[in-house]
Amino acid sequence: MAPIARVAAMALGAIVLAGCPDDPATPPDEGPPAWRVLLDEDDLDRAVLSIWGTGPDDVFAVGGPLGNTGLESLVLHHDGATWRELPAGGEETFWWVAGSGPNDVWMVGERGRAAHWDGNAFREHDTGTEATLWGVITFAPDDAWAVGGTPGVGEDAEKDIVLHWDGGAWSREALPQETGRALYKVWGESSEDLYAVGEFGVIWHRAGSTWELQSDPPIAQGTLFTAAGCSREEVYAVGGRDVLRSDGEAWRRIDVELTNDVNGVACGRPGEVAIVGYGGLKQRLVDGAWIDEFTEEPYADLHAVWADGEGAFWAVGGDFLSQPTPGRARKGVVARHGKGQIADTVSR
């Protein structure tokens, strides 16, 4: 056999061998974990304000027009292969999403809106309020909590809103005292161990069936926008220049050198935490040290972050602070820190 023919035969044999099912496949080099923008303003015309899922192949991201007319509420779903927009209807912006499973997902937002996704369709539920519901958490189909209120001042402004879903209806749960604060987020491991945070650094804790005010005197310097925990002994609350941690007994400030104001926090495994904020602030707690990833994309304002249970963090945001402009789309962004590639377009 001529040398050239022999080389060609050897190359063909290598290709055939590589394709044999008995030959162990070598996985492609995914590279180290990194932040990657999945969806941006080329894919989204509304801000994305919250993200949650049961895992990386069942992810919900929600938001909306934030006052820009002519656009609908936004609900995106990622099934592990594609992003699709779900037909939520309405014009209200959803501010938060959470569920207990793929067929039990709540989205809450403007005008007291609470929409439930059962895996096939949305159903609207009366919440008894017209104030914005900023946060929700779900433990079971008959056990969910939502919080809200109207920020700022005003005699008619609703404050201190805590709602409970019992499987049949949403009802108001009274706090021991009126603090006159809008509540932004709620987090816990159960209804008997629940935290609610909000304006002017307010922190409420529900132990059993009793609410206790844990921010008198206040610990935070400003408003707390989000709370999340890795366990009962590792709970975080963030907002502005405040990063607080509770060990289940008391809150303390954490010394973190922030590159901008922080809006969102999420926990992966114990000791693995991510915070996000304005201007693309992204910082992760790894092995006891905070890693600043401010110079990595995305650079947009980030509102929320979520851990998918398999080592990746997902962040969402957009221009959610700008004033509404009739007919103008808002910028939205969805990003992920982890290995591998994820779908980066919305299937129509």
Side-chain angles (χ1 to χ4, degrees), residues 22-320:
D22 294 334
D23 193 53
T26 302
D29 182 13
E30 295 180 333
W35 283 103
R36 295 180 176 88
V37 175
L38 305 179
L39 306 175
D40 58 19
E41 59 188 283
D42 292 332
D43 310 287
L44 303 168
D45 57 2
R46 286 150 288 177
V48 189
L49 300 174
S50 178
I51 187 165
W52 172 89
T54 62
D57 58 353
D58 180 36
V59 182
F60 295 84
V62 305
L66 282 170
N68 285 13
T69 58
L71 297 172
E72 293 186 346
S73 310
L74 176 65
V75 178
L76 298 171
H77 182 253
H78 177 65
D79 63 6
T82 59
W83 289 96
R84 293 188 183 277
E85 183 171 348
L86 301 180
E91 298 178 350
E92 297 84 4
T93 294
F94 288 121
W95 278 90
W96 214 245
V97 56
S100 67
N103 301 326
D104 179 34
V105 186
W106 284 99
M107 296 91 172
V108 300
E110 294 173 338
R111 300 175 191 165
R113 186 178 180 187
H116 183 263
W117 173 256
D118 65 4
N120 294 301
F122 290 95
R123 182 182 176 186
E124 302 293 327
H125 291 266
D126 181 25
T127 60
T129 181
E130 285 292 313
T132 297
L133 297 175
W134 306 97
V136 65
I137 189 167
T138 310
F139 300 116
D142 60 354
D143 188 12
W145 296 82
V147 297
T150 304
V153 296
E155 292 183 3
D156 298 327
E158 286 192 80
K159 305 283 188 177
D160 303 293
I161 295 176
V162 178
L163 304 176
H164 181 246
W165 169 259
D166 63 3
W170 286 96
S171 60
R172 186 80 172 255
E173 176 149 314
L175 294 170
Q177 66 185 81
E178 295 284 333
T179 63
R181 316 283 173 85
L183 298 175
Y184 285 125
K185 297 296 177 291
V186 57
W187 180 89
E189 292 198 330
S190 71
S191 288
E192 287 71 44
D193 185 20
L194 204 60
Y195 292 90
V197 301
E199 276 188 302
F200 309 110
V202 66
I203 303 173
W204 285 99
H205 180 232
R206 189 179 198 264
S209 60
T210 303
W211 287 94
E212 175 194 5
L213 184 62
Q214 294 189 334
S215 54
D216 188 15
I219 305 160
Q221 297 175 342
T223 290
L224 294 172
F225 292 115
T226 308
C230 305
S231 67
R232 292 175 183 268
E233 293 76 34
E234 188 180 1
V235 182
Y236 296 86
V238 303
R241 295 286 170 159
D242 291 305
V243 179
L244 310 182
R245 174 177 171 171
S246 171
D247 59 5
E249 299 295 331
W251 289 91
R252 63 180 178 87
R253 294 179 60 84
I254 297 178
D255 186 17
V256 184
E257 189 174 341
L258 298 173
T259 46
N260 214 326
D261 287 357
V262 59
N263 293 315
V265 59
C267 278
R269 291 180 287 268
E272 295 183 1
V273 183
I275 57 177
V276 298
Y278 293 118
L281 178 145
K282 302 173 294 296
Q283 294 181 222
R284 294 181 300 113
L285 181 64
V286 180
D287 296 329
W290 287 93
I291 300 173
D292 188 350
E293 295 163 327
F294 188 66
T295 58
E296 298 183 28
E297 289 191 277
Y299 307 125
D301 293 334
L302 298 175
H303 187 260
V305 61
W306 166 71
D308 67 10
E310 295 192 7
F313 286 102
W314 305 56
V316 295
D319 59 344
F320 52 88

